[in-house]
Structures are given as structure tokens and as C-alpha cells.
Amino acid sequence: IDFSFGSATYSRRVCTTRTLGRFLKQMDANGSPGVRSLGSRQTCIRGNIGSVFKSHSKGGSMKSLLSTATAAMLSISAGMASADTVKVGLIADYTGAFATWGNQFQQAVEAYQAVNGKTVKGPDGRVHEIQFIYRDTASQGPDKAKQLAEELVVREKVKFLTGFALSPHAMAVAEIANQAKIPVVIMNAATASITRGSPYYVRVSMTIPQHVVPLAKYAYDNGVRKVYSIVSDYAPGHDAETYFNKTFKALGGEVIGTARSPITETNYG
């Protein structure tokens, strides 16, 4: 609180989030703020209450002093309340070839909050509002995901990152998560090794091996003995090739060949 004392020769700046009682105890006999700071939080309010302190020092109404100081404390409380908003940055594709993912993620979030509300009670016992900030990777490469993650952490001050439909996008933000100590909740990216990239990663979807290992068993159990595998040439495709072929061979099948296709390839004729 920055109190300006009218014609007085000084103006003392005091920043506080403590109680009104403590504030009043810091007043000296002349109605001036005590020499000690009442706190370190840099949330300050300006007000010219010189006349109140002058009337108090002359035996004036304590009610006026209490009224002014209480108003200041209420303003501080209002400022603190806004700090209870927890920002979550959601990174996904909203445009381009993979645009379906971003829309699905956002619709799921909005549907959940419509039913359950936008506030949660935290481990500190306080109620926090959860605010999602959406960013579009536009079906571009991992550099775009990393750029958006940096902006969300540095500019928006998000406390969590989430989304990530594609494995390269999820892998790209590991260093940011480690440096900022920001939890990352992966909604879809399925390469098995992703969560090894950072202790701040958690995945709520599935992994590629969960799909292809049962597929290899199904193929062998249904009489397939020879296969030729073609996968997309990026991390999830490599996982599919590795885990399918390993499982199929262990069952007694034969992999007669493999190929990896660029992810932009559309002609398989």
C-alpha cells in the first residue's frame, strides 16, 4: 500500500497481504506507518489518506481510519483472488491435415467443464479456476510445438501443458518441461518412449505396442504365417514395426520384408 501524506515531508511505501490488525499495530503514535514493512508481496494500492491520519493523530475518528484501511485490504484480497486462476496451455492441430485432433481435445475439455464446472479444490484447500489457453500447431513440425510451448510458459505463465496429438510434438517440449518444471499431460501421442523424455510427462491415452502386439497375435492365430510390413517413417511407425515384427517372429511367423514411407506420401500404387 502506498500512502501519500498530503503536505507531509515523506511518503512511505508499504506492501502487505497481512491482516488489518497487524497493519494497525504497525502505526506509531503520530498515526504514521511503522518503520517495518508489513510484508514482501508486491501487490500495492495507492491512496491519499493524509487527512484520515491527521484526524486520527488529533484524536479524530478511528472509524474513518478503519474504513479506509479496510477498503485497502479488500482491494488486496480481490487482487489475490485473481491469482487463484490456474492456466493450462493446450497445444494441438486445429488446422491442416491433422486438424481433427485439436477440435476433439477442445470439445472434450468444454464438455467436461460444462458438466463439472471450471473450478477445483486444490491440495491447499483453496478453490482454483482452471483456464485453458488453446494454441494451434497447424499440422506443422516439432519446432512449432516447441515455440508455442515456450510462449505459453514464458508469456502466459501456464502451470500445465497438455494436448499433443502427434509424437514429434510431444517429444519436442521435454526440455521446456524439465527447465520450467511444468507437468505435461499427453492426450494422444502414442510412441512408447515418450514418457522417458521427462519426469514431468504423464500420458492418459495409449501406446502403439498396445495396438500392434495383439494384432500380431491375432494374425498368427488366424493362420497368417508370412507378412510384409509398411509403416510411416516417424516414431510411431517405428514402434509399430518393431513391436509387431518382434511379436510375430516370436510366435513362429516370418517377416519377409519391411518398408518405411515418408509421412507426406499419398501414392502407394
Side-chain angles (χ1 to χ4, degrees), residues 1 30 33 50 71 82 95 101 135 182 188 205 207 211 221 235 242 246:
I1 305 170
N30 294 323
S82 64
T95 56
W101 288 110
R135 292 292 183 266
I182 296 252
N188 182 73
S205 54
T207 65
H211 289 297
D221 290 345
T242 299
K246 178 181 178 181

Side-chain angles (χ1 to χ4, degrees), residues 135-178:
R135 292 292 183 266
D136 180 15
T137 41
S139 299
Q140 297 181 29
D143 288 344
K144 182 65 174 180
K146 184 176 181 180
Q147 171 200 333
L148 294 175
E150 289 175 342
E151 291 176 358
L152 286 166
V153 171
V154 175
R155 297 181 185 177
E156 298 293 343
K157 310 297 183 184
V158 300
K159 298 301 182 183
F160 298 86
L161 290 172
T162 189
F164 305 106
L166 305 180
S167 292
H169 291 173
M171 293 173 168
V173 303
E175 183 179 355
I176 296 171
N178 292 338

Side-chain angles (χ1 to χ4, degrees), residues 49 54 135 152 157-158 195 200-201 220 225:
I49 59 169
K54 289 178 181 178
R135 292 292 183 266
L152 286 166
K157 310 297 183 184
V158 300
T195 51
Y200 296 96
Y201 277 178
Y220 190 85
R225 293 296 181 264

Side-chain angles (χ1 to χ4, degrees), residues 202-260:
V202 60
R203 177 162 37 203
V204 295
S205 54
M206 75 294 172
T207 65
I208 294 296
Q210 289 177 290
H211 289 297
V212 300
V213 169
L215 178 61
K217 292 179 179 178
Y218 177 85
Y220 190 85
D221 290 345
N222 284 272
V224 178
R225 293 296 181 264
K226 294 182 178 181
V227 300
Y228 189 102
S229 70
I230 303 176
V231 300
S232 297
D233 191 11
Y234 77 129
H238 301 168
D239 262 11
E241 179 184 89
T242 299
Y243 286 94
F244 180 94
N245 294 351
K246 178 181 178 181
T247 304
F248 192 72
K249 288 178 180 179
L251 292 170
E254 180 185 357
V255 179
I256 62 174
T258 63
R260 294 179 176 181

Side-chain angles (χ1 to χ4, degrees), residues 11-24:
S11 173
R12 181 170 182 80
R13 183 178 179 83
V14 182
C15 299
T16 180
T17 57
R18 302 188 183 181
T19 63
L20 179 60
R22 176 68 184 276
F23 168 77
L24 293 175

